[in-house]
Amino acid sequence: PLEQRHDLMIKITGTGNNIVLTNTTTNETFIYKKGLAEGQTLTINGINPFLDDTSCGIDTDHGTISLVKGNNHFTVSGLDNPDITFSFPFLYF
């Protein structure tokens, strides 16, 4: 999405600390160094992270997540009861 200027939004909920989201297909990692409490949402909108509606880039490793054609596989650690939503336009090639 970054290279082709596609929109990618990732929304993460759950509870935990030091959250690590990894696209194991691309070996890209995003780390949120603080905690996520019940009812809070961590959103990665393109390359910009937000905790609820507040920018929280200072609390991250400044990593980025992108997708490649085909299947992308992800792991998450540091989070109990994770719920992760990926939102992006489907493009036909």
Side-chain angles (χ1 to χ4, degrees):
L2 291 176
E3 293 175 9
Q4 297 179 8
R5 302 189 192 277
H6 301 163
D7 297 324
L8 171 62
M9 183 180 297
I10 304 170
K11 291 189 177 190
I12 302 170
T13 60
T15 56
N17 292 301
N18 296 314
I19 299 157
V20 180
L21 177 66
T22 303
N23 182 337
T24 57
T25 304
T26 64
N27 288 321
E28 295 172 322
T29 300
F30 174 87
I31 301 172
Y32 180 64
K33 300 174 184 177
K34 289 199 171 180
L36 191 61
E38 188 172 337
Q40 290 183 311
T41 301
L42 177 63
T43 302
I44 306 166
N45 189 356
I47 60 171
N48 301 304
F50 297 90
L51 181 60
D52 294 326
D53 293 325
T54 304
S55 178
C56 64
I58 196 167
D59 299 321
T60 73
D61 69 335
H62 304 288
T64 58
I65 297 289
S66 64
L67 303 176
V68 294
K69 277 187 182 181
N71 293 327
N72 287 256
H73 299 277
F74 287 85
T75 61
V76 63
S77 64
L79 197 59
D80 294 325
N81 302 318
D83 184 22
I84 303 173
T85 303
F86 296 84
S87 177
F88 55 93
F90 187 80
L91 301 173
Y92 294 92
F93 290 97

